[in-house]
């Protein structure tokens, strides 16, 4: 039997600033554009957490969605929702909070919470037109 993927969609709002402290202000502005605004700006992030595995014959579930949604709420939404990622979170104090880096951080956090038999993929939309996938 093939594996099945189950996807939980979540949402959070957060502020950020993309900036490389080793670069001049001009270079930062050139590379990061509006996302370099010194006073930060917000995004409405849409998050898709995909869990892949074999269905448990006893339940018919890959993972109970109640368990998955609680896991995401406790570990991701409570940590990042309505936060300034640069100032309010440990994860992005030094790490540039690009969509790529946010997706990887979310993966690393959730990976530790999930059964090793399950595969995990993260899709993070920064805007309706831009999203990243990790791992790829
Ligand atoms: Ni931005």
């Amino acid at each position: 039997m093939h594996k099945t993927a189950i996807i939980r969609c979540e949402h959070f709002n957060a502020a950020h600033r993309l900036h490389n402290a080793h670069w001049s202000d001009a270079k930062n502005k050139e590379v990061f554009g509006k996302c370099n605004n010194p006073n930060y700006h917000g995004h409405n992030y849409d998050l898709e957490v995909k869990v892949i595995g074999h269905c448990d014959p006893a339940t018919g579930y890959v993972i109970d969605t109640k368990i998955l949604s609680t896991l995401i709420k406790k570990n991701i939404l409570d940590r990042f929702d309505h936060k300034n990622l640069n100032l309010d979170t440990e994860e992005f104090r030094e790490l540039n909070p690009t969509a790529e880096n946010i997706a990887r951080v979310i993966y690393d956090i959730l990976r530790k919470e999930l059964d090793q038999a399950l595969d995990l993929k993260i899709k993070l939309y920064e805007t309706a037109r831009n999203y990243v996938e990790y791992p790829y």
Side-chain angles (χ1 to χ4, degrees):
M1 212 199 298
H2 289 290
K3 289 179 177 179
T4 300
I6 179 156
I7 297 118
R8 175 79 189 178
C9 301
E10 294 287 355
H11 181 82
F12 62 95
N13 313 103
H16 76 167
R17 181 193 189 199
L18 302 184
H19 186 78
N20 184 329
H22 302 293
W23 294 347
S24 67
D25 288 348
K27 177 151 188 194
N28 270 291
K29 204 167 178 198
E30 183 193 318
V31 173
F32 296 123
K34 285 181 176 175
C35 276
N36 183 243
N37 177 32
N39 292 327
Y40 307 93
H41 63 278
H43 289 282
N44 297 310
Y45 291 97
D46 281 314
L47 171 65
E48 290 181 19
V49 176
K50 184 188 278 189
V51 178
I52 304 147
H54 289 292
C55 290
D56 180 334
T59 59
Y61 290 158
V62 173
I63 185 171
D64 186 327
T65 50
K66 284 193 301 294
I67 293 171
L68 181 58
S69 75
T70 303
L71 215 66
I72 299 168
K73 185 184 180 313
K74 228 176 62 186
N75 294 285
I76 306 300
L77 305 184
D78 288 354
R79 191 185 303 236
F80 297 137
D81 187 34
H82 284 71
K83 297 289 171 64
N84 180 314
L85 297 175
N86 304 75
L87 301 180
D88 298 334
T89 75
E90 286 302 318
E91 290 78 6
F92 299 104
R93 198 143 293 173
E94 304 295 330
L95 182 67
N96 219 12
T98 59
E100 290 89 329
N101 282 336
I102 299 168
R104 197 178 67 255
V105 163
I106 289 172
Y107 173 88
D108 288 343
I109 293 168
L110 291 178
R111 182 63 275 181
K112 289 192 211 106
E113 304 292 328
L114 284 173
D115 190 320
Q116 284 306 310
L118 298 169
D119 292 325
L120 174 65
K121 304 271 184 192
I122 300 298
K123 192 184 272 191
L124 182 72
Y125 288 79
E126 191 169 72
T127 70
R129 290 177 175 170
N130 294 326
Y131 66 91
V132 300
E133 296 178 323
Y134 185 85
Y136 200 80

